[in-house]
Structure formats: structure tokens, C-alpha cells
Amino acid sequence: MKRYIKVECPICGEISQGREPGRIDQGCQHFERIIQDEGVVIFVNDFGEEIPVDLSAVGDRCMSFHCPICSESLDACVRGDAKEYKIEGKCPHFRELVSGPEGKMSAHFMDENDNPRVLPLY
């Protein structure tokens, strides 16, 4: 699974997004850095003050993964606790995204014989 970030700047509202931990398309000059271990993006305002943004609370969590049944590629963006999400792909097995304890996500699939398959995402 590849992990992406998409987060809105709390200062100017521009969107920064990209692959983590790789290249991030910085939407504005306020974007400073990502603290991966803490799931936080640091923005710096015009006074030099750091403003941390929790990715799970403010930004969309976006990810790319494959169906464990047919290997179809799927892209998903989730807001909050997975009650709102968007899936792009044409997999007939995908059923839903579910948020578990501690913000961990899983994708639920169903094969042709109605056997469930769960793919942990992060």
C-alpha cells in the first residue's frame, strides 16, 4: 500500500499533497515539514510560529491499494473516521472502508462465494 497525504494549510487554505515519505507538492510557502512518527504536518505562519496540523483530524487521508482477490488497483480518500470516503477503481469485490481502533483503517471485500476478505490499510 502506498500512503499519500492531502492537507489544507490552516493559514491560507491552500492544499499540499503527495506521496509520503517522498515528494510533497507544497501548496503554499507556509508548508514546512512532515513529522511522520507523529502524523503531523508543520506549517509556519508569517511570524515564524510553527502550527502543527494533525493529519487524521484535519486533512484527508488518501491511499492506494490493491484488491486481495483480483489485484485491481483502488485509490481512496477518507475524511475523518471513514464515514465519508471516495473510491476510484472498478473492483467488483470492494464493499466498504472501515475505521477501527486508534484510527486504523481496513478495506472490506467480498469474493464470488460471499466470503469476506479484510485488508488492513494502516
Side-chain angles (χ1 to χ4, degrees):
M1 177 193 78
K2 297 175 184 174
R3 186 167 181 219
Y4 297 88
I5 68 156
K6 181 179 177 186
V7 63
E8 182 179 340
C9 175
I11 301 159
C12 69
E14 292 294 324
I15 301 293
S16 295
Q17 61 186 349
R19 219 171 278 241
E20 183 189 29
R23 191 174 100 68
I24 301 295
D25 179 19
Q26 299 175 2
C28 64
Q29 76 276 7
H30 302 113
F31 181 93
E32 179 70 21
R33 68 186 181 280
I34 298 173
I35 303 175
Q36 295 177 20
D37 297 342
E38 298 175 23
V40 173
V41 176
I42 302 295
F43 290 89
V44 177
N45 66 18
D46 296 333
F47 302 107
E49 301 168 323
E50 291 188 349
I51 301 172
V53 177
D54 182 349
L55 287 173
S56 66
V58 176
D60 291 333
R61 292 181 285 174
C62 298
M63 63 213 79
S64 178
F65 53 93
H66 292 25
C67 171
I69 300 165
C70 68
S71 299
E72 176 73 29
S73 178
L74 297 166
D75 294 315
C77 280
V78 181
R79 181 169 295 284
D81 59 358
K83 292 182 180 173
E84 296 179 44
Y85 60 84
K86 177 182 177 186
I87 295 288
E88 292 182 12
K90 297 182 181 181
C91 175
H93 305 108
F94 176 79
R95 295 297 178 258
E96 64 180 338
L97 286 179
V98 176
S99 180
E102 300 175 15
K104 295 184 179 184
M105 303 286 304
S106 62
H108 291 226
F109 298 86
M110 189 79 67
D111 69 15
E112 290 80 9
N113 298 319
D114 293 331
N115 296 315
R117 298 279 296 269
V118 176
L119 177 67
L121 298 176
Y122 64 85

